[in-house]
C-alpha cells in the first residue's frame, strides 16, 4: 500500500469489513455476493431478498454501461474494491473477460476465492491478495475497463489517487465505470457530520470532484446517471429489516451493540438523503488518446430536455444540480 488512499482505505475497511460483527452482518444480509447500494422499486419490502434484487438491478446497470468497453473477445477488466467478487463473476459470465479483483479485506478475498473455486473460475477471476486500489500493482495500459461499486468513498483524501490509478492501468479508449455514494457539491459539510462519523471520514467525494479528478488523470466524462433517491430507499430498507425479525437471525453472529450502532447510522444516512445532501449515481469516464484532447474549458451536457454548458475547471459546483439521467454530448465539445 502507498499514500493517503492506502492509509485511509486500510483504516476504514479494516473497521467496516474485517471485524467479526461487520463481516457477519454483510455476509448474512447480502449472501456473500454483493455489498453495495441497490436500485429499488417503489415501496420496497424490508427483506434480504428485496435488497439482493435491488443490488442485482444496480449491477445490471453497471454492466450495461461497461458494454462498449468489454464487448468482443479477449478483454480484461479490473474491479476496484471487489469485496466478495460478485461483480467480477457477473462481468466474466456476461462478457467472457478476465477480471482482476483489487480488495484490501482479507476475509472478503477469502470468500471471493472460495466462490471462484466452487464455480471453477480461478483462471478467469484473479485475486492477487490484499491490495489498495491506489496501488494495484497492475501494468500500465493493461485493462479495457475498470469498475467499482460504492468503494471509492472509503479512500478518504486519497480519492484522486484512486481515480489516477484507474487511468494509469486503463488502455487508451478504455472505460472507468463506477458508482459511489457522494455528498452534493454545494452541501454544508456541517450537515453531514453524523454520516462522516459513521464512515470514519472527514468528507466524501462529489459529482463535480470526480469529473475534476478524472480530467486531471486524462479521462473525460461520457455519461452520468443519477439515482440519488435510492440512498434513502436502500438504507431505510435495511434499517427496517434490523428493527424487525431479521435481527433474530443475526443474534449470536452480530453483537447487539453493533446492530444498535448500525440502526443509528442508517438513520443518519436516511436523514441526510431526504434532506438532499447526498448523491449516488453511475459515472462513465473514457481514457483519452492525448491529455490535451480533454475539454478543459467547455463540455456539453444533455439532461433530458435541458442542454447546458459548464466550465469544468471553474464551474464544477453546478453539475449535480441537474445531472438526472445525464448523457455526455460529445458533439457539443
Amino acid at each position: 500500500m502507498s499514500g493517503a488512499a492506502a492509509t485511509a482505505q486500510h483504516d476504514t475497511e479494516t473497521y467496516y469489513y474485517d471485524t467479526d460483527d461487520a463481516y457477519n452482518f454483510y455476509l448474512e444480509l447480502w449472501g456473500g455476493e454483493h455489498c453495495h447500494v441497490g436500485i429499488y422499486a417503489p415501496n420496497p419490502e424490508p427483506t434480504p431478498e428485496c435488497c439482493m434484487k435491488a443490488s442485482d438491478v444496480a449491477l445490471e446497470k453497471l454492466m450495461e454501461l461497461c458494454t462498449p468497453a468489454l464487448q468482443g473477445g479477449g478483454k480484461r477488466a479490473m474491479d476496484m474494491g471487489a469485496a466478495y467478487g460478485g461483480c467480477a463473476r457477473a462481468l466474466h459470465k456476461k462478457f467472457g473477460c478476465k477480471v482482476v479483483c483489487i480488495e484490501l479485506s482479507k476475509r472478503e478475498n477469502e470468500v471471493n476465492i472460495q466462490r471462484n473455486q466452487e464455480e471453477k473460475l480461478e483462471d478467469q477471476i484473479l485475486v492477487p491478495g490484499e491490495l489498495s486500489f491506489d496501488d494495484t500493482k497492475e501494468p500500465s495500459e493493461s485493462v479495457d475497463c475498470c469498475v467499482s461499486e460504492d468503494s471509492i468513498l472509503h479512500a478518504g483524501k486519497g480519492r484522486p489517487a484512486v481515480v489516477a490509478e484507474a487511468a494509469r492501468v486503463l488502455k487508451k479508449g478504455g472505460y472507468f465505470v463506477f458508482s459511489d455514494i457522494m455528498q452534493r457539491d454545494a452541501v454544508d459539510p456541517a450537515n453531514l457530520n453524523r454520516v462522516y462519523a459513521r464512515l470514519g471520514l472527514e468528507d466524501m467525494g462529489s459529482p463535480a470532484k470526480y469529473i475534476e479528478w478524472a480530467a486531471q488523470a486524462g479521462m473525460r466524462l461520457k455519461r452520468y446517471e443519477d439515482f440519488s433517491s435510492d440512498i434513502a430507499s436502500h438504507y431505510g430498507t435495511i434499517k427496517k429489516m434490523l428493527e424487525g425479525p431479521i435481527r433474530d437471525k443475526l443474534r449470536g453472529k452480530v453483537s447487539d451493540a453493533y446492530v444498535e450502532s448500525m440502526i443509528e447510522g442508517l438513520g443518519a444516512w436516511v436523514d441526510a438523503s431526504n434532506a438532499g445532501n447526498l448523491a449516488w449515481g453511475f459515472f462513465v469516464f473514457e481514457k483519452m488518446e492525448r491529455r490535451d484532447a480533454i475539454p478543459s474549458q467547455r463540455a456539453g451536457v444533455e439532461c433530458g430536455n435541458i442542454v447546458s454548458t459548464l466550465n469544468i475547471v471553474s464551474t464544477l459546483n453546478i453539475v449535480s444540480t441537474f445531472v438526472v439521467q445525464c448523457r455526455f454530448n460529445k458533439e457539443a465539445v
Side-chain angles (χ1 to χ4, degrees):
M1 292 183 295
S2 67
T7 301
Q9 189 192 0
H10 180 271
D11 291 344
T12 56
E13 284 211 10
T14 299
Y15 173 75
Y16 272 113
Y17 300 119
D18 269 346
T19 64
D20 287 340
D21 277 339
Y23 176 78
N24 290 329
F25 176 82
Y26 288 104
L27 197 63
E28 287 295 325
L29 261 66
W30 274 271
E33 280 296 300
H34 305 296
C35 186
H36 56 82
V37 177
I39 297 175
Y40 287 79
N43 304 312
E45 292 291 327
T47 64
E49 293 76 15
C50 179
C51 282
M52 285 187 273
K53 181 178 180 180
S55 293
D56 287 341
V57 174
L59 176 60
E60 287 294 332
K61 170 55 66 176
L62 184 89
M63 292 195 296
E64 171 196 322
L65 298 172
C66 291
T67 299
L70 291 178
Q71 60 188 354
K75 301 293 185 175
R76 194 165 185 269
M78 175 190 288
D79 189 350
M80 305 177 82
Y84 308 120
C87 176
R89 286 184 289 277
L91 288 171
H92 170 71
K93 291 172 184 177
K94 184 174 180 67
F95 299 108
C97 58
K98 286 192 174 184
V99 187
V100 59
C101 295
I102 304 300
E103 176 55 56
L104 195 64
S105 168
K106 185 176 188 297
R107 298 182 77 170
E108 290 185 350
N109 279 334
E110 289 170 350
V111 172
N112 191 359
I113 291 169
Q114 180 184 345
R115 296 280 193 271
N116 297 333
Q117 290 173 343
E118 291 169 353
E119 299 189 34
K120 296 182 171 48
L121 294 175
E122 304 99 310
D123 295 336
Q124 303 300 316
I125 311 298
L126 310 177
V127 185
E130 288 68 66
L131 292 172
S132 173
F133 46 20
D134 80 323
D135 186 17
T136 65
K137 311 299 184 186
E138 290 296 304
S140 298
E141 299 189 2
S142 62
V143 173
D144 297 284
C145 185
C146 287
V147 302
S148 184
E149 295 177 294
D150 306 338
S151 294
I152 304 177
L153 78 159
H154 293 297
K157 298 294 186 183
R159 293 180 199 103
V162 177
V163 175
E165 178 69 357
R168 183 187 70 80
V169 301
L170 278 174
K171 299 175 183 178
K172 290 180 174 62
Y175 278 18
F176 184 24
V177 182
F178 68 94
S179 63
D180 206 25
I181 308 169
M182 303 166 282
Q183 63 189 47
R184 292 287 186 185
D185 294 302
V187 71
D188 180 352
N191 293 331
L192 289 173
N193 283 337
R194 290 173 63 206
V195 172
Y196 297 155
R198 170 68 191 149
L199 293 168
L201 296 172
E202 297 177 5
D203 65 1
M204 302 166 73
S206 71
K209 283 296 184 183
Y210 278 118
I211 296 171
E212 179 183 12
W213 298 331
Q216 292 169 351
M219 297 186 289
R220 70 172 177 180
L221 178 70
K222 288 186 68 67
R223 188 181 183 98
Y224 175 76
E225 294 196 24
D226 185 84
F227 291 90
S228 295
S229 63
D230 283 290
I231 298 176
S233 297
H234 180 71
Y235 290 113
T237 299
I238 297 173
K239 183 172 183 287
K240 290 178 182 177
M241 288 167 56
L242 293 180
E243 293 169 336
I246 194 69
R247 185 160 183 171
D248 291 333
K249 181 182 178 182
L250 297 175
R251 227 173 278 280
K253 301 175 182 178
V254 180
S255 70
D256 287 341
Y258 183 89
V259 173
E260 288 297 331
S261 174
M262 179 64 73
I263 290 172
E264 182 178 351
L266 293 169
W269 281 110
V270 172
D271 291 345
S273 178
N274 287 336
N277 293 327
L278 297 177
W280 180 63
F282 294 78
F283 291 91
V284 180
F285 290 104
E286 179 184 14
K287 183 174 179 177
M288 302 304 294
E289 294 288 335
R290 310 186 322 274
R291 279 179 177 262
D292 60 6
I294 299 167
S296 61
Q297 292 300 315
R298 290 190 178 276
V301 178
E302 181 180 326
C303 307
N305 294 324
I306 302 173
V307 179
S308 180
T309 55
L310 59 127
N311 185 312
I312 287 184
V313 174
S314 63
T315 322
L316 286 166
N317 62 340
I318 70 169
V319 176
S320 66
T321 63
F322 59 89
V323 287
V324 180
Q325 300 291 335
C326 294
R327 181 167 58 85
F328 189 77
N329 183 0
K330 290 183 285 187
E331 291 77 18
V333 174

